[in-house]
Amino acid sequence: MEQKEDNLKEIISHAKEYGFVFPSSEIYDGLAATYDYGQLGSELKNNIKSYWWKSMVQMHDNIVGIDSAIFMHPTTWKASGHVDAFNDPLIDNKDSKKRYRADVLLEEHIEKIRQKIEKEVEKGIKKFSDSFDEAQFRATNPNVLRNAQKITEIEDRMRTTLENNDLEGVYQLIVDLEIVCPISGSKNWTEVRQFNLMFSTELGSVAGDASTIYLRPETAQGIFVNFLNVQKSGRMKIPFGIAQIGKAFRNEIVARQFIFRMREFEQMEMQFFVRPGEEMKWYEYWKETRIKWHKKLGLGDKMYRFHDHIKLAHYANAAADIEFDFPMGFKELEGIHSRTDFDLKQHEQFSGKKLQYFDPELNQNYVPFVVETSVGLDRMFLAVLSASYKNEKLEDGSERSVLSLPAALAPYKVAVMPLTKKDGLPEKANEVLNLLKFDYNCTYDEKDSPGKRYRRQDAIGTPYCIMIDHQTMEDNTVTVRDRDNMEQIRVSIGDLYKIIDEKVNMRTLLVD
Ligand code: GAP
């Protein structure tokens, strides 16, 4: 775990050093859990957005995209349930004055017990080596069984207290488990309170309840309220989807782990409207489609796993997370939810407007059911960055930092370099740059030795470096260096566009 946390620290410092992510308003010592994307970070982020948008909208003739406002009529959030139920249970430690999510304190306690089990298993592996039967050990070892039983009991109490909004029960559980504050080490806790996660602000100059509006905590509601607008103006037939990428805001009590949990973040969401009764078929379809989309990036199939929800949100009849192996361990990257007809029905009720679809095949009106896919853009960014970051020892004993980003997502697709700054090489390099720069983001670099320039490009994840040397002036050929295996091939400038295009075009990710 420590090793992984060090790894996250290294990634954060690499991201800052090379212009991917900066702490926000750093000259004023920053603002907790708020980050700015730098010159390379915004390129990578745009490329991730583009991969998502193209695969959703361009590749599906029954999915269209919108861009709705962040501010919405306040009744939207009453109807969606966010005003009444978008809460986290929080608890304060009176000595450290630190605030925690009560459910997170409990989950961390459970995780510690889980680690005890794993340690016991590791001891068994060491002791019995080849003859070790792990399944049998887990089923019979008294220490493992005692700890597993503890976990079940805590989870049961946690589930019932949280589901019944029994805040006293949650408090009592924390006390019974003798959970201490990680900062002060004390058990001096306040009671548990519910804390609404929505940010509110005043519309116009008049203060008061009537003018209180919210910064949207999810982009999905902008899609629901536009369901009929899009369906009618786009003559959409069910099943169809509406996609959107945009900012969302949540006043997270504990915002941390770099860009994993922030108060201002971006979501890429798609609501797929289907016939009532067909939602489970589409739920399975989208689970499979989304995991394929992730795996296509080539970060390693083992980096992903599904986590099916046991405790469902009030609007869902099935839900699963796609979890990613972040530097902090497996955590939620994307949610796939079967949201039933809850949202549209609520909006019908609160607005007094019908949000129904006439199905010509069934000759019937109905409120469609919805299957949602929702992935955090910043979490995608962290997933791609952390899985791509490597420190390698090379054969000659030297080291390099490399970002082996999927080529189609890399901020620069190629770096064009003249071997020297004279003999017409820079002019020739500019000719090569002009061949590529209208389709691909390229960079030009003529400073320092070729070795240093290659290292710089490796560190920012540029998949190909094109070197213009004296032979180029004679036979119009250049060398193309591959970031990952560091091999160089000599190719004719006439073939360059095709060679690069085949490797870095977004098409490589979109084709089945
Ligand atoms: N419309 C459904 C919805 O908002 P969610 O599971 O609350 O569902 C969806 O959020 C995704 O948004 C998450 O899987 C995560 O990737 C991202 N996300 C949620 N809260 C976040 C935060 N505080 N910081 C960064 N990303 C967040």
Side-chain angles (χ1 to χ4, degrees), residues 44-56 58 245 268 293 377 409 506 510:
L44 174 56
K45 201 175 175 200
N46 281 339
N47 293 338
I48 296 173
K49 277 193 212 179
S50 171
Y51 174 39
W52 186 87
W53 189 268
K54 280 177 195 276
S55 70
M56 278 294 175
Q58 200 169 315
I245 301 177
M268 305 191 283
W293 180 89
L377 176 53
L409 301 187
M506 191 68 80
L510 296 171

Side-chain angles (χ1 to χ4, degrees), residues 305-309 319-323 332-337:
R305 72 180 185 198
F306 276 115
H307 167 75
D308 292 314
H309 289 205
D321 294 336
I322 294 175
E323 293 186 337
E332 176 186 344
L333 171 62
E334 168 154 5
I336 295 137
H337 313 122

Side-chain angles (χ1 to χ4, degrees), residues 86 217-220 250 252 259-263 265-267 269 271 315 321 332-335 337 339 372 374-379:
F86 195 49
E218 62 171 10
T219 64
R250 293 181 191 178
E252 301 279 2
I259 52 175
F260 180 81
R261 192 178 301 287
M262 295 191 288
R263 300 198 171 95
F265 58 99
E266 240 170 306
Q267 289 184 316
E269 299 202 294
Q271 312 293 320
Y315 53 74
D321 294 336
E332 176 186 344
L333 171 62
E334 168 154 5
H337 313 122
R339 286 182 83 130
E372 164 184 77
S374 174
V375 56
L377 176 53
D378 311 271
R379 286 194 192 174

Side-chain angles (χ1 to χ4, degrees), residues 22-36:
F22 306 125
S24 176
S25 32
E26 198 188 6
I27 56 167
Y28 295 104
D29 295 333
L31 179 69
T34 317
Y35 292 91
D36 297 336

Side-chain angles (χ1 to χ4, degrees), residues 6-33:
D6 283 351
N7 191 240
L8 180 62
K9 278 190 200 146
E10 250 184 63
I11 291 163
I12 296 171
S13 107
H14 190 89
K16 185 174 174 212
E17 185 180 346
Y18 289 96
F20 283 87
V21 183
F22 306 125
S24 176
S25 32
E26 198 188 6
I27 56 167
Y28 295 104
D29 295 333
L31 179 69

Side-chain angles (χ1 to χ4, degrees), residues 66 68-69 71-73 75-77 79-80 219-230 242 244 271 273 343-344 347-348 351 353 355:
I66 64 164
S68 71
F71 292 144
M72 300 182 72
H73 192 284
T75 310
T76 309
W77 306 110
S80 66
T219 64
Q221 298 304 323
I223 293 178
F224 289 125
V225 298
N226 278 300
F227 158 70
L228 264 196
N229 280 339
V230 173
I242 306 179
Q244 160 151 253
Q271 312 293 320
F273 299 91
D343 300 87
L344 288 180
H347 287 304
E348 273 199 328
S351 68
K353 311 264 164 43
L355 293 175

